[in-house]
C-alpha cells in the first residue's frame, strides 16, 4: 500500500471500512477497536451511518500498523500517531504532485449483473428510495471504484439497451439518468478537493450531453488526489483550452460518446492540437474509433478506472521531467 503522507490534513471521508482493510491490511474490527479505545482514527459517517475514512485516517492507520509490527504496544502507537499527525496537520508539506496509489482491480465482487439489474428495475419503477438503499449497501461492502464499475456502469448499459429495444420510454431513461447523475455528483463532492495534486479540467466535447461517464472518471481521479475542475456538457474545445490555462491546469480531459459530438470535435481539433497542455480523450465512440481519438489527444482508456490510471501515470511522468 502507498500512503499519501504529504497531504495528511485532507479530512474528507472517502474510503469505506472494507476498502481501508484491503489497502492497509488492518481488519475493520481492529479499526473499530482502535476508535473505541484510543479515539483514533476519526471516520465520518455517511447518510446511511456507514464509516468513511479520509486520506489522513488511512495514513494514520498505516503509521499505527507499522509501529505495532515493530513491537510497539497499540496504546503507545496511538500516542505516537497523535504526536506525529498533530505536527503534520500544521505543516501541509511541499505543494508538489500528490497522488495516492490507484485502486486495485481486485476488489470484492457484488454479483454485478444481478445487482445492476436490480438497480435498473428500481429506477424503472421509480423506486428511488430502493435504488438509494442498494447503492448505500454496495458502498458499505466494496470501494467506490467497485460501485462504479460493478454497479453503475453495467446499469447504464442495461438502461441504454432497454431504451434502444423500445422497452422503456425516454422519460424512464431521463429519470434514471438524473438519479445516477445526482448520485455521482454526491460522490464527486464527497471525494473532496486536494490542495496539492495536479489540476485536470474535465469536460464533455462540443454537442455532447452525456456526462455520466465523465463524472465517474472525475470521481476516481479526485480519489487519487487529482484536483478535477469539472466543467460539464457541450463545451467548445477553444473555450476549454482558454479555461484550462486560466486555472493553471496540467491536463485536459474530454469525453465524447456520440457521432455528432465526435464530428463537431474533429472540426475544432486545431484548438487542442499543438498545445503544451496534455489532452486526454475518452468515451464510448472513441473506444471504438482509436484513430479519431489520436487526432484529438491521447486515448485514456476503456473505463473510468483504467483511464484514471493512464492519466495519473502520465502526470507522474510529467512531474518527474519537470
Amino acid at each position: 500500500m502507498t500512503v499519501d503522507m504529504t497531504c495528511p490534513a485532507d479530512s474528507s471521508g472517502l474510503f469505506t471500512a472494507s476498502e481501508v482493510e484491503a489497502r492497509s491490511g488492518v481488519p475493520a474490527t481492529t479499526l473499530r477497536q482502535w476508535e473505541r479505545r484510543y479515539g483514533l482514527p476519526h471516520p465520518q459517517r455517511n447518510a446511511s451511518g456507514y464509516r468513511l475514512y479520509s486520506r489522513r485516517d488511512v495514513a494514520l492507520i498505516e503509521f499505527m500498523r507499522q509501529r505495532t509490527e515493530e513491537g510497539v504496544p497499540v496504546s503507545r502507537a496511538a500516542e505516537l500517531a497523535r504526536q506525529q499527525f498533530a505536527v503534520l496537520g500544521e505543516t501541509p508539506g511541499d505543494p508538489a504532485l500528490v497522488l495516492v496509489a490507484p485502486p486495485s482491480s481486485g476488489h470484492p465482487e457484488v454479483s454485478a449483473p444481478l445487482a445492476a439489474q436490480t438497480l435498473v428495475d428500481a429506477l424503472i419503477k421509480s423506486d428511488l428510495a430502493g435504488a438509494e438503499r442498494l447503492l448505500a449497501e454496495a458502498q458499505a461492502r466494496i470501494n467506490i471504484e467497485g460501485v462504479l464499475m460493478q454497479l453503475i456502469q453495467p446499469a447504464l448499459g442495461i438502461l441504454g439497451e432497454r431504451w434502444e429495444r423500445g422497452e422503456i420510454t425516454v422519460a424512464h431513461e431521463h429519470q434514471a439518468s438524473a438519479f445516477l447523475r445526482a448520485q455521482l455528483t454526491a460522490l464527486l463532492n464527497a471525494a473532496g478537493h486536494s490542495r496539492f495534486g495536479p489540476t485536470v479540467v474535465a469536460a464533455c466535447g462540443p454537442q455532447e450531453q452525456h456526462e455520466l461517464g465523465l463524472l465517474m472518471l472525475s470521481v476516481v481521479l479526485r480519489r487519487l488526489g487529482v484536483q478535477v475542475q469539472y466543467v460539464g456538457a457541450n463545451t467548445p474545445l477553444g473555450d476549454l483550452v482558454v479555461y484550462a490555462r486560466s486555472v493553471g491546469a496540467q491536463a485536459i480531459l474530454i469525453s465524447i460518446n456520440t457521432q455528432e459530438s465526435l464530428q463537431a470535435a474533429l472540426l475544432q481539433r486545431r484548438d487542442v492540437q499543438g498545445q503544451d497542455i496534455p489532452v486526454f480523450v475518452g468515451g464510448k465512440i472513441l473506444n471504438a474509433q482509436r484513430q479519431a481519438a489520436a487526432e484529438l489527444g491521447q486515448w485514456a482508456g476503456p473505463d473510468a478506472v483504467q483511464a484514471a490510471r493512464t492519466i495519473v501515470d502520465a502526470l507522474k511522468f510529467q512531474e518527474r521531467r519537470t
Side-chain angles (χ1 to χ4, degrees):
M1 175 184 176
T2 300
V3 179
D4 175 7
M5 291 292 291
T6 57
C7 191
D10 188 345
S11 59
S12 302
L14 301 176
F15 307 109
T16 63
S18 59
E19 182 175 7
V20 173
E21 178 175 342
R23 286 170 173 252
S24 67
V26 179
T29 53
T30 300
L31 296 178
R32 292 194 293 272
Q33 289 174 358
W34 288 358
E35 184 182 343
R36 288 195 302 268
R37 294 180 182 178
Y38 310 112
L40 297 174
H42 303 284
Q44 301 175 17
R45 299 275 186 158
N46 64 13
S48 301
Y50 295 113
R51 288 174 172 83
L52 291 176
Y53 296 83
S54 68
R55 288 193 182 91
R56 181 186 178 90
D57 290 327
V58 173
L60 184 149
I61 291 164
E62 177 67 7
F63 178 88
M64 289 185 63
R65 183 190 64 79
Q66 292 172 350
R67 300 293 80 75
T68 56
E69 288 180 352
E70 293 167 358
V72 176
V74 178
S75 58
R76 177 57 177 164
E79 181 181 346
L80 293 172
R82 289 191 189 92
Q83 297 172 0
Q84 175 78 2
F85 284 81
V87 174
L88 288 174
E90 295 171 1
T91 56
D94 183 34
L97 183 64
V98 178
L99 297 169
V100 298
S104 168
S105 59
H107 42 61
E109 295 294 325
V110 290
S111 301
L114 178 61
Q117 185 62 62
T118 303
L119 176 60
V120 170
D121 291 343
L123 291 173
I124 291 176
K125 294 175 184 177
S126 296
D127 180 12
L128 302 187
E132 287 180 352
R133 284 195 300 272
L134 179 61
L135 288 172
E137 290 169 2
Q139 288 182 46
R141 295 173 56 192
I142 60 175
N143 61 24
I144 296 300
E145 289 75 20
V147 173
L148 296 177
M149 303 311 301
Q150 297 179 36
L151 190 57
I152 293 180
Q153 181 165 293
L156 288 172
I158 295 170
L159 285 165
E161 291 170 1
R162 295 193 65 174
W163 177 80
E164 290 176 356
R165 293 196 298 263
E167 297 175 2
I168 61 174
T169 68
V170 171
H172 287 100
E173 191 274 335
H174 280 186
Q175 184 188 54
S177 295
F179 170 85
L180 292 173
R181 189 186 192 284
Q183 297 297 313
L184 290 169
T185 299
L187 290 176
L188 185 65
N189 292 334
H193 299 275
S194 172
R195 292 182 295 165
F196 305 116
T199 298
V200 173
V201 172
C204 292
Q207 299 183 31
E208 182 59 71
Q209 301 293 339
H210 298 84
E211 298 183 62
L212 299 186
L214 183 66
L215 277 168
M216 286 193 287
L217 177 50
S218 297
V219 169
V220 178
L221 285 171
R222 275 198 184 171
R223 283 168 55 80
L224 292 174
V226 175
Q227 298 184 67
V228 177
Q229 297 286 343
Y230 187 82
V231 175
N234 188 20
T235 309
L237 299 189
D239 290 354
L240 184 57
V241 171
V242 171
Y243 177 78
R245 292 192 180 282
S246 72
V247 298
Q250 280 72 56
I252 294 171
L253 172 60
I254 304 170
S255 177
I256 296 174
N257 294 284
T258 64
Q259 187 64 40
E260 292 78 10
S261 178
L262 176 57
Q263 292 304 314
L266 289 173
L267 290 174
Q268 301 176 24
R269 61 183 178 272
R270 290 185 177 178
D271 291 330
V272 294
Q273 289 177 339
Q275 301 290 334
D276 55 359
I277 303 176
V279 177
F280 297 93
V281 296
K284 182 177 180 179
I285 196 166
L286 293 180
N287 291 342
Q289 299 187 34
R290 300 280 292 279
Q291 184 175 354
E295 293 188 50
L296 295 167
Q298 178 182 344
W299 181 66
D303 59 54
V305 171
Q306 292 188 49
R309 289 195 181 106
T310 296
I311 294 169
V312 164
D313 287 345
L315 292 174
K316 284 183 176 178
F317 177 74
Q318 178 181 338
E319 177 71 9
R320 286 196 297 268
R321 290 186 63 185
T322 57

